[in-house]
Amino acid sequence: MRAMTPRIRYALSSEAWGSFEPGLLQLIQERGLRRIVEIGGGANPMIPIEDVHRLGLDYTVLDISEVELAKAPAGYRTVCADIASADLALDGAYDLAFSRMLAEHVRHGEYLHRNIARLLRPGGHALHFFPTLWAPPFVINRLIPERLSDRLLALLNPDRDRHQFGKFPAYYDWCRGPTRAQIKRFEGLGYSVAAYDGYYGHGQYYRHIPGLKSLHLAWCRFLSRHPLPALTSFAIVHLIKR
């Protein structure tokens, strides 16, 4: 199976947050995917256990932290493992592996995506939603000490449940928009890139600064019409194992 030409599109990030879960469920149902592993689901698995049962899914939540997995609702099958380990040994043949806001926390993006490819059956799907460099808040988060970034997040989002939604170090390795270089990276690991969506905007960080928020939104609307792949804020990539 040769690498396909990916469908690339751009939109505002508000669309990404609202479309990822419905798009995931649509992919599962349209392709008849049953054996699924959520990477980094931890305390908050994405698909509710009621939907897991309703759709008849063989569903596993994989996370590096036993502490986070212990916070997950009852009923999920869980595996504690480091998906980016150089010597990961897990059974494969999954129909789908997916992650949401996990890739940025992995120090070595190549190991992450290489190991996921090993977990998938030929023709299996991978779907990932992640923040991207070079959006300014994520550049700052990457450069400043973790203790300071945690304080900044608490200031910008004081209502966050710190127990259920922990703050973890972020590295943003392989977290880029739909650039040619990033597409070639995925293809080099044996994937075809079916779709790569870039999203502009991180307005939640400016919601207490009305003037700056308006300027930011206008800039993001301009970028969505005249896209520069390197300036996205988030991306969703759909990969198929060749």
mmCIF file of all heavy atoms in Angstrom, residues 129-175:
data_model
loop_
_atom_site.group_PDB
_atom_site.id
_atom_site.type_symbol
_atom_site.label_atom_id
_atom_site.label_comp_id
_atom_site.label_asym_id
_atom_site.label_seq_id
_atom_site.Cartn_x
_atom_site.Cartn_y
_atom_site.Cartn_z
ATOM 1 N N PHE A 129 -5.043 14.237 18.482
ATOM 2 C CA PHE A 129 -5.382 15.647 18.637
ATOM 3 C C PHE A 129 -4.364 16.239 19.609
ATOM 4 O O PHE A 129 -4.215 15.749 20.731
ATOM 5 C CB PHE A 129 -6.810 15.751 19.178
ATOM 6 C CG PHE A 129 -7.309 17.155 19.444
ATOM 7 C CD1 PHE A 129 -6.709 18.274 18.874
ATOM 8 C CD2 PHE A 129 -8.412 17.355 20.263
ATOM 9 C CE1 PHE A 129 -7.179 19.552 19.113
ATOM 10 C CE2 PHE A 129 -8.901 18.632 20.510
ATOM 11 C CZ PHE A 129 -8.275 19.734 19.938
ATOM 12 N N PHE A 130 -3.645 17.293 19.189
ATOM 13 C CA PHE A 130 -2.566 17.805 20.031
ATOM 14 C C PHE A 130 -2.318 19.284 19.745
ATOM 15 O O PHE A 130 -2.623 19.784 18.654
ATOM 16 C CB PHE A 130 -1.273 17.018 19.768
ATOM 17 C CG PHE A 130 -0.923 16.844 18.319
ATOM 18 C CD1 PHE A 130 -0.166 17.798 17.639
ATOM 19 C CD2 PHE A 130 -1.361 15.726 17.607
ATOM 20 C CE1 PHE A 130 0.147 17.640 16.306
ATOM 21 C CE2 PHE A 130 -1.043 15.558 16.264
ATOM 22 C CZ PHE A 130 -0.292 16.527 15.607
ATOM 23 N N PRO A 131 -1.768 20.022 20.715
ATOM 24 C CA PRO A 131 -1.341 21.397 20.470
ATOM 25 C C PRO A 131 -0.052 21.412 19.663
ATOM 26 O O PRO A 131 0.697 20.425 19.659
ATOM 27 C CB PRO A 131 -1.108 21.950 21.881
ATOM 28 C CG PRO A 131 -0.755 20.751 22.687
ATOM 29 C CD PRO A 131 -1.523 19.597 22.103
ATOM 30 N N THR A 132 0.203 22.507 18.985
ATOM 31 C CA THR A 132 1.359 22.555 18.086
ATOM 32 C C THR A 132 2.250 23.761 18.366
ATOM 33 O O THR A 132 1.786 24.825 18.786
ATOM 34 C CB THR A 132 0.909 22.615 16.619
ATOM 35 O OG1 THR A 132 0.163 23.816 16.395
ATOM 36 C CG2 THR A 132 0.055 21.418 16.250
ATOM 37 N N LEU A 133 3.518 23.569 18.124
ATOM 38 C CA LEU A 133 4.438 24.688 17.976
ATOM 39 C C LEU A 133 4.306 25.171 16.525
ATOM 40 O O LEU A 133 4.100 24.342 15.630
ATOM 41 C CB LEU A 133 5.871 24.235 18.256
ATOM 42 C CG LEU A 133 6.168 23.775 19.696
ATOM 43 C CD1 LEU A 133 7.625 23.345 19.806
ATOM 44 C CD2 LEU A 133 5.857 24.853 20.720
ATOM 45 N N TRP A 134 4.234 26.524 16.279
ATOM 46 C CA TRP A 134 4.830 27.512 17.156
ATOM 47 C C TRP A 134 3.788 28.507 17.683
ATOM 48 O O TRP A 134 3.986 29.715 17.579
ATOM 49 C CB TRP A 134 5.942 28.223 16.433
ATOM 50 C CG TRP A 134 6.955 27.267 15.959
ATOM 51 C CD1 TRP A 134 7.012 26.663 14.737
ATOM 52 C CD2 TRP A 134 8.045 26.734 16.717
ATOM 53 N NE1 TRP A 134 8.067 25.790 14.671
ATOM 54 C CE2 TRP A 134 8.722 25.820 15.878
ATOM 55 C CE3 TRP A 134 8.509 26.914 18.016
ATOM 56 C CZ2 TRP A 134 9.837 25.104 16.291
ATOM 57 C CZ3 TRP A 134 9.623 26.211 18.414
ATOM 58 C CH2 TRP A 134 10.281 25.335 17.564
ATOM 59 N N ALA A 135 2.731 28.038 18.268
ATOM 60 C CA ALA A 135 1.765 28.917 18.921
ATOM 61 C C ALA A 135 2.428 29.511 20.174
ATOM 62 O O ALA A 135 3.016 28.773 20.974
ATOM 63 C CB ALA A 135 0.508 28.134 19.299
ATOM 64 N N PRO A 136 2.360 30.828 20.368
ATOM 65 C CA PRO A 136 3.108 31.469 21.454
ATOM 66 C C PRO A 136 2.908 30.874 22.848
ATOM 67 O O PRO A 136 3.893 30.672 23.570
ATOM 68 C CB PRO A 136 2.637 32.935 21.383
ATOM 69 C CG PRO A 136 2.305 33.135 19.942
ATOM 70 C CD PRO A 136 1.712 31.817 19.489
ATOM 71 N N PRO A 137 1.661 30.548 23.293
ATOM 72 C CA PRO A 137 1.542 29.996 24.647
ATOM 73 C C PRO A 137 2.285 28.674 24.823
ATOM 74 O O PRO A 137 2.798 28.391 25.916
ATOM 75 C CB PRO A 137 0.020 29.792 24.809
ATOM 76 C CG PRO A 137 -0.599 30.682 23.821
ATOM 77 C CD PRO A 137 0.340 30.710 22.663
ATOM 78 N N PHE A 138 2.353 27.879 23.759
ATOM 79 C CA PHE A 138 3.012 26.579 23.874
ATOM 80 C C PHE A 138 4.533 26.719 23.789
ATOM 81 O O PHE A 138 5.267 25.935 24.403
ATOM 82 C CB PHE A 138 2.469 25.635 22.811
ATOM 83 C CG PHE A 138 0.961 25.537 22.830
ATOM 84 C CD1 PHE A 138 0.217 25.529 21.662
ATOM 85 C CD2 PHE A 138 0.272 25.499 24.036
ATOM 86 C CE1 PHE A 138 -1.167 25.467 21.682
ATOM 87 C CE2 PHE A 138 -1.111 25.442 24.071
ATOM 88 C CZ PHE A 138 -1.830 25.429 22.895
ATOM 89 N N VAL A 139 4.999 27.722 23.058
ATOM 90 C CA VAL A 139 6.436 28.022 23.064
ATOM 91 C C VAL A 139 6.857 28.438 24.474
ATOM 92 O O VAL A 139 7.874 27.973 25.011
ATOM 93 C CB VAL A 139 6.771 29.135 22.050
ATOM 94 C CG1 VAL A 139 8.233 29.557 22.185
ATOM 95 C CG2 VAL A 139 6.488 28.663 20.635
ATOM 96 N N ILE A 140 6.065 29.308 25.099
ATOM 97 C CA ILE A 140 6.369 29.752 26.463
ATOM 98 C C ILE A 140 6.336 28.570 27.429
ATOM 99 O O ILE A 140 7.226 28.403 28.272
ATOM 100 C CB ILE A 140 5.373 30.849 26.894
ATOM 101 C CG1 ILE A 140 5.581 32.110 26.055
ATOM 102 C CG2 ILE A 140 5.522 31.167 28.379
ATOM 103 C CD1 ILE A 140 4.506 33.160 26.233
ATOM 104 N N ASN A 141 5.310 27.732 27.294
ATOM 105 C CA ASN A 141 5.191 26.561 28.166
ATOM 106 C C ASN A 141 6.378 25.625 28.013
ATOM 107 O O ASN A 141 6.823 24.991 28.969
ATOM 108 C CB ASN A 141 3.888 25.820 27.847
ATOM 109 C CG ASN A 141 3.572 24.723 28.848
ATOM 110 O OD1 ASN A 141 3.788 24.884 30.044
ATOM 111 N ND2 ASN A 141 3.068 23.606 28.368
ATOM 112 N N ARG A 142 6.902 25.550 26.791
ATOM 113 C CA ARG A 142 8.059 24.684 26.538
ATOM 114 C C ARG A 142 9.330 25.242 27.148
ATOM 115 O O ARG A 142 10.183 24.487 27.625
ATOM 116 C CB ARG A 142 8.240 24.518 25.018
ATOM 117 C CG ARG A 142 9.456 23.685 24.618
ATOM 118 C CD ARG A 142 9.272 22.237 25.035
ATOM 119 N NE ARG A 142 10.441 21.443 24.710
ATOM 120 C CZ ARG A 142 11.472 21.238 25.545
ATOM 121 N NH1 ARG A 142 11.483 21.826 26.731
ATOM 122 N NH2 ARG A 142 12.484 20.482 25.187
ATOM 123 N N LEU A 143 9.457 26.565 27.184
ATOM 124 C CA LEU A 143 10.722 27.180 27.573
ATOM 125 C C LEU A 143 10.858 27.453 29.069
ATOM 126 O O LEU A 143 11.959 27.388 29.610
ATOM 127 C CB LEU A 143 10.916 28.493 26.808
ATOM 128 C CG LEU A 143 11.104 28.362 25.290
ATOM 129 C CD1 LEU A 143 11.191 29.745 24.657
ATOM 130 C CD2 LEU A 143 12.339 27.547 24.963
ATOM 131 N N ILE A 144 9.732 27.750 29.741
ATOM 132 C CA ILE A 144 9.856 28.150 31.140
ATOM 133 C C ILE A 144 9.820 26.931 32.053
ATOM 134 O O ILE A 144 9.343 25.859 31.664
ATOM 135 C CB ILE A 144 8.738 29.141 31.541
ATOM 136 C CG1 ILE A 144 7.358 28.464 31.494
ATOM 137 C CG2 ILE A 144 8.761 30.372 30.645
ATOM 138 C CD1 ILE A 144 6.231 29.375 31.960
ATOM 139 N N PRO A 145 10.329 27.050 33.291
ATOM 140 C CA PRO A 145 10.317 25.924 34.237
ATOM 141 C C PRO A 145 8.908 25.439 34.515
ATOM 142 O O PRO A 145 7.939 26.216 34.507
ATOM 143 C CB PRO A 145 10.961 26.513 35.499
ATOM 144 C CG PRO A 145 11.773 27.675 35.013
ATOM 145 C CD PRO A 145 11.018 28.231 33.834
ATOM 146 N N GLU A 146 8.775 24.132 34.786
ATOM 147 C CA GLU A 146 7.467 23.518 34.997
ATOM 148 C C GLU A 146 6.721 24.158 36.161
ATOM 149 O O GLU A 146 5.514 24.361 36.106
ATOM 150 C CB GLU A 146 7.640 22.019 35.226
ATOM 151 C CG GLU A 146 6.342 21.239 35.442
ATOM 152 C CD GLU A 146 5.420 21.277 34.227
ATOM 153 O OE1 GLU A 146 5.914 21.533 33.112
ATOM 154 O OE2 GLU A 146 4.216 21.058 34.417
ATOM 155 N N ARG A 147 7.420 24.496 37.234
ATOM 156 C CA ARG A 147 6.758 25.102 38.399
ATOM 157 C C ARG A 147 6.113 26.433 38.027
ATOM 158 O O ARG A 147 4.985 26.733 38.448
ATOM 159 C CB ARG A 147 7.774 25.300 39.527
ATOM 160 C CG ARG A 147 7.163 25.875 40.812
ATOM 161 C CD ARG A 147 8.208 25.983 41.900
ATOM 162 N NE ARG A 147 8.748 24.679 42.247
ATOM 163 C CZ ARG A 147 9.694 24.483 43.165
ATOM 164 N NH1 ARG A 147 10.205 25.526 43.819
ATOM 165 N NH2 ARG A 147 10.127 23.272 43.439
ATOM 166 N N LEU A 148 6.802 27.214 37.208
ATOM 167 C CA LEU A 148 6.250 28.502 36.788
ATOM 168 C C LEU A 148 5.088 28.317 35.824
ATOM 169 O O LEU A 148 4.075 29.018 35.918
ATOM 170 C CB LEU A 148 7.347 29.345 36.133
ATOM 171 C CG LEU A 148 6.931 30.728 35.619
ATOM 172 C CD1 LEU A 148 6.306 31.550 36.728
ATOM 173 C CD2 LEU A 148 8.146 31.448 35.030
ATOM 174 N N SER A 149 5.187 27.352 34.906
ATOM 175 C CA SER A 149 4.088 27.130 33.962
ATOM 176 C C SER A 149 2.841 26.640 34.685
ATOM 177 O O SER A 149 1.715 26.968 34.303
ATOM 178 C CB SER A 149 4.507 26.139 32.874
ATOM 179 O OG SER A 149 4.681 24.845 33.397
ATOM 180 N N ASP A 150 3.024 25.870 35.749
ATOM 181 C CA ASP A 150 1.881 25.410 36.539
ATOM 182 C C ASP A 150 1.178 26.587 37.214
ATOM 183 O O ASP A 150 -0.049 26.660 37.267
ATOM 184 C CB ASP A 150 2.347 24.391 37.575
ATOM 185 C CG ASP A 150 1.193 23.736 38.314
ATOM 186 O OD1 ASP A 150 0.280 23.222 37.638
ATOM 187 O OD2 ASP A 150 1.185 23.747 39.557
ATOM 188 N N ARG A 151 1.948 27.536 37.709
ATOM 189 C CA ARG A 151 1.362 28.728 38.332
ATOM 190 C C ARG A 151 0.621 29.578 37.307
ATOM 191 O O ARG A 151 -0.454 30.119 37.582
ATOM 192 C CB ARG A 151 2.459 29.549 39.002
ATOM 193 C CG ARG A 151 3.056 28.888 40.243
ATOM 194 C CD ARG A 151 4.172 29.737 40.826
ATOM 195 N NE ARG A 151 4.749 29.102 42.012
ATOM 196 C CZ ARG A 151 5.811 29.579 42.668
ATOM 197 N NH1 ARG A 151 6.398 30.695 42.230
ATOM 198 N NH2 ARG A 151 6.269 28.944 43.725
ATOM 199 N N LEU A 152 1.202 29.704 36.107
ATOM 200 C CA LEU A 152 0.540 30.472 35.059
ATOM 201 C C LEU A 152 -0.778 29.827 34.654
ATOM 202 O O LEU A 152 -1.783 30.523 34.447
ATOM 203 C CB LEU A 152 1.461 30.587 33.838
ATOM 204 C CG LEU A 152 2.601 31.593 33.936
ATOM 205 C CD1 LEU A 152 3.503 31.491 32.721
ATOM 206 C CD2 LEU A 152 2.059 33.015 34.073
ATOM 207 N N LEU A 153 -0.802 28.496 34.545
ATOM 208 C CA LEU A 153 -2.039 27.806 34.189
ATOM 209 C C LEU A 153 -3.096 28.012 35.259
ATOM 210 O O LEU A 153 -4.280 28.225 34.957
ATOM 211 C CB LEU A 153 -1.773 26.311 33.992
ATOM 212 C CG LEU A 153 -2.982 25.466 33.600
ATOM 213 C CD1 LEU A 153 -3.564 25.940 32.280
ATOM 214 C CD2 LEU A 153 -2.603 23.987 33.516
ATOM 215 N N ALA A 154 -2.688 27.970 36.532
ATOM 216 C CA ALA A 154 -3.636 28.195 37.624
ATOM 217 C C ALA A 154 -4.206 29.609 37.569
ATOM 218 O O ALA A 154 -5.389 29.837 37.868
ATOM 219 C CB ALA A 154 -2.951 27.950 38.963
ATOM 220 N N LEU A 155 -3.375 30.569 37.145
ATOM 221 C CA LEU A 155 -3.832 31.951 37.040
ATOM 222 C C LEU A 155 -4.803 32.125 35.880
ATOM 223 O O LEU A 155 -5.834 32.791 35.995
ATOM 224 C CB LEU A 155 -2.623 32.875 36.854
ATOM 225 C CG LEU A 155 -2.915 34.374 36.728
ATOM 226 C CD1 LEU A 155 -3.499 34.912 38.029
ATOM 227 C CD2 LEU A 155 -1.639 35.127 36.383
ATOM 228 N N LEU A 156 -4.493 31.486 34.732
ATOM 229 C CA LEU A 156 -5.317 31.626 33.537
ATOM 230 C C LEU A 156 -6.583 30.779 33.597
ATOM 231 O O LEU A 156 -7.582 31.096 32.960
ATOM 232 C CB LEU A 156 -4.503 31.253 32.302
ATOM 233 C CG LEU A 156 -3.333 32.192 31.967
ATOM 234 C CD1 LEU A 156 -2.435 31.563 30.918
ATOM 235 C CD2 LEU A 156 -3.859 33.544 31.497
ATOM 236 N N ASN A 157 -6.535 29.680 34.347
ATOM 237 C CA ASN A 157 -7.677 28.768 34.423
ATOM 238 C C ASN A 157 -7.906 28.366 35.876
ATOM 239 O O ASN A 157 -7.677 27.222 36.272
ATOM 240 C CB ASN A 157 -7.416 27.535 33.553
ATOM 241 C CG ASN A 157 -8.639 26.653 33.413
ATOM 242 O OD1 ASN A 157 -9.740 27.019 33.841
ATOM 243 N ND2 ASN A 157 -8.465 25.479 32.848
ATOM 244 N N PRO A 158 -8.378 29.292 36.710
ATOM 245 C CA PRO A 158 -8.506 29.024 38.148
ATOM 246 C C PRO A 158 -9.556 27.976 38.498
ATOM 247 O O PRO A 158 -9.541 27.430 39.604
ATOM 248 C CB PRO A 158 -8.894 30.399 38.721
ATOM 249 C CG PRO A 158 -9.530 31.122 37.578
ATOM 250 C CD PRO A 158 -8.807 30.654 36.354
ATOM 251 N N ASP A 159 -10.461 27.671 37.579
ATOM 252 C CA ASP A 159 -11.532 26.713 37.877
ATOM 253 C C ASP A 159 -11.147 25.275 37.564
ATOM 254 O O ASP A 159 -11.951 24.360 37.762
ATOM 255 C CB ASP A 159 -12.799 27.077 37.071
ATOM 256 C CG ASP A 159 -13.327 28.458 37.425
ATOM 257 O OD1 ASP A 159 -13.201 28.850 38.595
ATOM 258 O OD2 ASP A 159 -13.835 29.149 36.523
ATOM 259 N N ARG A 160 -9.924 25.034 37.064
ATOM 260 C CA ARG A 160 -9.497 23.680 36.713
ATOM 261 C C ARG A 160 -9.462 22.777 37.950
ATOM 262 O O ARG A 160 -8.953 23.158 38.995
ATOM 263 C CB ARG A 160 -8.106 23.725 36.073
ATOM 264 C CG ARG A 160 -7.508 22.368 35.760
ATOM 265 C CD ARG A 160 -6.203 22.518 34.991
ATOM 266 N NE ARG A 160 -5.194 23.210 35.762
ATOM 267 C CZ ARG A 160 -4.220 22.602 36.452
ATOM 268 N NH1 ARG A 160 -4.155 21.283 36.455
ATOM 269 N NH2 ARG A 160 -3.339 23.299 37.124
ATOM 270 N N ASP A 161 -10.016 21.569 37.815
ATOM 271 C CA ASP A 161 -9.957 20.547 38.859
ATOM 272 C C ASP A 161 -8.554 19.931 38.832
ATOM 273 O O ASP A 161 -8.240 19.104 37.991
ATOM 274 C CB ASP A 161 -11.024 19.474 38.592
ATOM 275 C CG ASP A 161 -11.071 18.404 39.678
ATOM 276 O OD1 ASP A 161 -10.082 18.246 40.419
ATOM 277 O OD2 ASP A 161 -12.090 17.702 39.770
ATOM 278 N N ARG A 162 -7.700 20.341 39.746
ATOM 279 C CA ARG A 162 -6.298 19.929 39.726
ATOM 280 C C ARG A 162 -6.133 18.438 40.029
ATOM 281 O O ARG A 162 -5.121 17.842 39.642
ATOM 282 C CB ARG A 162 -5.485 20.759 40.722
ATOM 283 C CG ARG A 162 -5.434 22.240 40.368
ATOM 284 C CD ARG A 162 -4.786 23.045 41.486
ATOM 285 N NE ARG A 162 -3.383 22.713 41.646
ATOM 286 C CZ ARG A 162 -2.391 23.329 41.018
ATOM 287 N NH1 ARG A 162 -2.657 24.319 40.174
ATOM 288 N NH2 ARG A 162 -1.144 22.989 41.232
ATOM 289 N N HIS A 163 -7.122 17.834 40.699
ATOM 290 C CA HIS A 163 -7.037 16.396 40.977
ATOM 291 C C HIS A 163 -7.343 15.582 39.732
ATOM 292 O O HIS A 163 -6.597 14.667 39.371
ATOM 293 C CB HIS A 163 -8.011 16.025 42.093
ATOM 294 C CG HIS A 163 -8.113 14.542 42.324
ATOM 295 N ND1 HIS A 163 -7.132 13.820 42.974
ATOM 296 C CD2 HIS A 163 -9.077 13.636 41.969
ATOM 297 C CE1 HIS A 163 -7.474 12.538 43.024
ATOM 298 N NE2 HIS A 163 -8.648 12.407 42.422
ATOM 299 N N GLN A 164 -8.425 15.921 39.051
ATOM 300 C CA GLN A 164 -8.863 15.137 37.899
ATOM 301 C C GLN A 164 -8.139 15.518 36.614
ATOM 302 O O GLN A 164 -7.993 14.695 35.706
ATOM 303 C CB GLN A 164 -10.378 15.286 37.715
ATOM 304 C CG GLN A 164 -11.017 14.212 36.853
ATOM 305 C CD GLN A 164 -10.987 12.827 37.505
ATOM 306 O OE1 GLN A 164 -10.768 12.689 38.707
ATOM 307 N NE2 GLN A 164 -11.201 11.776 36.709
ATOM 308 N N PHE A 165 -7.672 16.768 36.525
ATOM 309 C CA PHE A 165 -7.003 17.247 35.316
ATOM 310 C C PHE A 165 -5.630 17.801 35.704
ATOM 311 O O PHE A 165 -5.451 19.003 35.882
ATOM 312 C CB PHE A 165 -7.845 18.318 34.612
ATOM 313 C CG PHE A 165 -9.178 17.805 34.142
ATOM 314 C CD1 PHE A 165 -10.315 17.949 34.932
ATOM 315 C CD2 PHE A 165 -9.294 17.153 32.930
ATOM 316 C CE1 PHE A 165 -11.544 17.466 34.510
ATOM 317 C CE2 PHE A 165 -10.524 16.666 32.496
ATOM 318 C CZ PHE A 165 -11.653 16.811 33.293
ATOM 319 N N GLY A 166 -4.687 16.898 35.860
ATOM 320 C CA GLY A 166 -3.350 17.265 36.305
ATOM 321 C C GLY A 166 -2.580 18.033 35.247
ATOM 322 O O GLY A 166 -2.915 18.035 34.068
ATOM 323 N N LYS A 167 -1.528 18.698 35.694
ATOM 324 C CA LYS A 167 -0.611 19.430 34.802
ATOM 325 C C LYS A 167 0.673 18.624 34.685
ATOM 326 O O LYS A 167 1.283 18.262 35.688
ATOM 327 C CB LYS A 167 -0.335 20.817 35.395
ATOM 328 C CG LYS A 167 0.782 21.607 34.695
ATOM 329 C CD LYS A 167 0.323 22.117 33.356
ATOM 330 C CE LYS A 167 1.325 23.118 32.773
ATOM 331 N NZ LYS A 167 2.648 22.557 32.477
ATOM 332 N N PHE A 168 1.074 18.320 33.441
ATOM 333 C CA PHE A 168 2.237 17.477 33.204
ATOM 334 C C PHE A 168 3.226 18.197 32.301
ATOM 335 O O PHE A 168 2.833 19.036 31.486
ATOM 336 C CB PHE A 168 1.805 16.150 32.565
ATOM 337 C CG PHE A 168 0.742 15.428 33.345
ATOM 338 C CD1 PHE A 168 -0.586 15.463 32.934
ATOM 339 C CD2 PHE A 168 1.063 14.742 34.495
ATOM 340 C CE1 PHE A 168 -1.571 14.808 33.660
ATOM 341 C CE2 PHE A 168 0.075 14.093 35.234
ATOM 342 C CZ PHE A 168 -1.242 14.122 34.810
ATOM 343 N N PRO A 169 4.517 17.880 32.410
ATOM 344 C CA PRO A 169 5.515 18.528 31.547
ATOM 345 C C PRO A 169 5.198 18.324 30.071
ATOM 346 O O PRO A 169 4.709 17.271 29.664
ATOM 347 C CB PRO A 169 6.820 17.817 31.933
ATOM 348 C CG PRO A 169 6.581 17.286 33.303
ATOM 349 C CD PRO A 169 5.129 16.927 33.357
ATOM 350 N N ALA A 170 5.474 19.352 29.269
ATOM 351 C CA ALA A 170 5.192 19.288 27.834
ATOM 352 C C ALA A 170 6.479 19.540 27.050
ATOM 353 O O ALA A 170 7.258 20.431 27.392
ATOM 354 C CB ALA A 170 4.128 20.315 27.449
ATOM 355 N N TYR A 171 6.674 18.746 25.986
ATOM 356 C CA TYR A 171 7.889 18.833 25.176
ATOM 357 C C TYR A 171 7.591 19.202 23.718
ATOM 358 O O TYR A 171 8.456 19.734 23.032
ATOM 359 C CB TYR A 171 8.625 17.486 25.217
ATOM 360 C CG TYR A 171 8.889 17.009 26.625
ATOM 361 C CD1 TYR A 171 8.062 16.047 27.219
ATOM 362 C CD2 TYR A 171 9.934 17.539 27.368
ATOM 363 C CE1 TYR A 171 8.292 15.614 28.522
ATOM 364 C CE2 TYR A 171 10.172 17.112 28.672
ATOM 365 C CZ TYR A 171 9.346 16.153 29.240
ATOM 366 O OH TYR A 171 9.558 15.745 30.537
ATOM 367 N N TYR A 172 6.402 18.875 23.228
ATOM 368 C CA TYR A 172 5.954 19.230 21.878
ATOM 369 C C TYR A 172 6.815 18.616 20.784
ATOM 370 O O TYR A 172 6.888 19.144 19.675
ATOM 371 C CB TYR A 172 5.882 20.756 21.706
ATOM 372 C CG TYR A 172 4.993 21.433 22.720
ATOM 373 C CD1 TYR A 172 5.529 22.015 23.869
ATOM 374 C CD2 TYR A 172 3.614 21.464 22.558
ATOM 375 C CE1 TYR A 172 4.719 22.610 24.822
ATOM 376 C CE2 TYR A 172 2.786 22.071 23.494
ATOM 377 C CZ TYR A 172 3.342 22.629 24.630
ATOM 378 O OH TYR A 172 2.531 23.219 25.572
ATOM 379 N N ASP A 173 7.449 17.480 21.065
ATOM 380 C CA ASP A 173 8.233 16.815 20.030
ATOM 381 C C ASP A 173 7.282 16.192 19.011
ATOM 382 O O ASP A 173 6.335 15.498 19.374
ATOM 383 C CB ASP A 173 9.118 15.733 20.658
ATOM 384 C CG ASP A 173 10.188 15.235 19.714
ATOM 385 O OD1 ASP A 173 10.772 16.065 18.996
ATOM 386 O OD2 ASP A 173 10.433 14.014 19.682
ATOM 387 N N TRP A 174 7.509 16.437 17.737
ATOM 388 C CA TRP A 174 6.657 15.991 16.629
ATOM 389 C C TRP A 174 5.254 16.611 16.697
ATOM 390 O O TRP A 174 4.328 16.121 16.045
ATOM 391 C CB TRP A 174 6.553 14.470 16.575
ATOM 392 C CG TRP A 174 7.755 13.780 15.991
ATOM 393 C CD1 TRP A 174 9.064 14.047 16.264
ATOM 394 C CD2 TRP A 174 7.772 12.706 15.048
ATOM 395 N NE1 TRP A 174 9.887 13.216 15.564
ATOM 396 C CE2 TRP A 174 9.124 12.371 14.804
ATOM 397 C CE3 TRP A 174 6.780 11.992 14.401
ATOM 398 C CZ2 TRP A 174 9.503 11.359 13.933
ATOM 399 C CZ3 TRP A 174 7.154 10.977 13.538
ATOM 400 C CH2 TRP A 174 8.491 10.667 13.304
ATOM 401 N N CYS A 175 5.070 17.672 17.446
ATOM 402 C CA CYS A 175 3.768 18.340 17.525
ATOM 403 C C CYS A 175 3.816 19.580 16.632
ATOM 404 O O CYS A 175 4.181 20.680 17.082
ATOM 405 C CB CYS A 175 3.433 18.718 18.959
ATOM 406 S SG CYS A 175 3.059 17.321 20.025
#
